[in-house]
Structures are given as C-alpha cells and as structure tokens.
Amino acid sequence: MMILLASALLTFAAAQDVPPITETVQIAPQVEFQTPQERLTARLDALATADEAQARPLVDEIFALWSHSGSDTISLLMDRGHAAEAAGDNDVAARMYDHVTALAPDFAEGWLAAGRVATQLEDWTYAFETLNTALTLEPRRFDAYVTLGRVLENAQALNAALDAYEEALEIHPTYAPAVSAKARIDAARAGRAL
C-alpha cells in the first residue's frame, strides 16, 4: 500500500513539472457537399484536360455516376442485361434494356446499353435511334459518341463518324477507342485522297 502511495505521489509530482500542451489541433477543411450532377460536371471538366493516368480514376467515377439509376428495379434490369451481354446472349440483353428504356425513359445509360446491343445485333436503325436518345439525355457521353461513330462508319458515313469521334475526344481527349477510330478514318480518308 505504501509503495502504491509513493508511486502515485511521484507520478503526480512528475505531472506537475510537465508544461501544458499548447499545440492546436488541426481540423481538416470541410468539403463542400456536391450533388451527383455537380460531381459529374466537375469530373467531366477535369477529364477534358487530364492525361491518361489522371483520366483513369475520373472515368471510373464518371461511369459510376452515369450508371446510378436511383431505382432498384432499373439496377436489377441493367445488371441482368450486362450479365446477358457478357454471356453473349444479346437477345436477352436487348429485352432487359428495352424494359429499362420503357420504365426509365430519362435514364441515358439504358438507351446507350440498348444501342450497344443493337450494334451487336446489326440493327443499325435502332442503334442509331437509341444512341441519339442517349446523347440527347446526356450530351457528354463520350462512349456513346464512339458507338455512334461505329454505326455511322458501318453506313459508310465517314465524315459523320469522324465528327462523332471528335466529339468524344473533345470530352475525353485520351479515350483510346476514339483515338484509334479517328486515326483509322483519317488513314482511310488519306488513302482515298491519293
């Protein structure tokens, strides 16, 4: 008991010799809340000047924001459509995406997915219509411009296809599918000029 009391007195005496803490605690600056639309706009603005390494995380977040429907039903239908596409069952995928466009006509992701599958099924008219709808709803869909460019290339409308690829590159300058497609058309046009 005596040892405990002596130990406590020594600890107390030592604590008295310690100067008070005068450091201030730094609190991280508060991040301003952004709506998903504001975040999307900020990420797309940053993407316009990003190099390839900077673009990767921006693109991941942009695609995540675009794919969020806010509806469990639409998310389920989109998941089933993606699974069917991955399995090579484009007919089932097309049905899933048709349900999405009927239930959520303002959801650009559904229209783009329907257009993508329509190109796989070589239904060029429907692909053109759905891609135009997707771009009307979300004119910054660089991936939709590339898919539209492929449809236009198939129709031998090379100037219009080139315009679509250039639109994609204006939004996402390092988007590899648009870069290679533009180079392909430029090469084809140069060959015709000779």
Side-chain angles (χ1 to χ4, degrees), residues 104-182:
D106 293 336
F107 185 50
E109 185 79 8
W111 290 103
L112 175 57
R116 188 178 57 244
V117 170
T119 62
Q120 295 298 319
L121 296 171
E122 297 184 359
D123 185 350
W124 305 113
T125 303
Y126 187 64
F128 187 75
E129 290 171 9
T130 56
L131 294 168
N132 275 320
T133 302
L135 287 166
T136 299
L137 294 169
E138 177 48 88
R140 301 168 296 181
R141 288 297 305 234
F142 50 87
D143 52 341
Y145 280 113
V146 169
T147 307
L148 179 62
R150 288 185 189 131
V151 171
L152 293 167
E153 268 191 270
N154 185 69
Q156 297 301 310
L158 295 185
N159 289 336
L162 184 61
D163 289 343
Y165 297 137
E166 287 173 346
E167 286 287 337
L169 291 170
E170 210 162 293
I171 299 162
H172 182 354
T174 62
Y175 191 47
V179 170
S180 62
K182 181 183 181 310

Side-chain angles (χ1 to χ4, degrees), residues 46-58 172 174:
L47 186 63
T49 58
D51 62 27
E52 278 187 68
Q54 295 166 328
R56 276 187 216 105
L58 291 170
H172 182 354
T174 62

Side-chain angles (χ1 to χ4, degrees), residues 12 24 32 37 46 58 61 69 71 74 81 88 98-100 106 110 120 123 126 174-175 183:
F12 179 74
T24 58
E32 187 176 322
Q37 193 60 38
L58 291 170
E61 188 172 358
S69 68
S71 163
I74 298 303
D98 285 345
H99 290 309
V100 169
D106 293 336
Q120 295 298 319
D123 185 350
Y126 187 64
T174 62
Y175 191 47

Side-chain angles (χ1 to χ4, degrees), residues 26-32:
Q26 295 291 328
I27 298 175
Q30 201 170 22
V31 177
E32 187 176 322

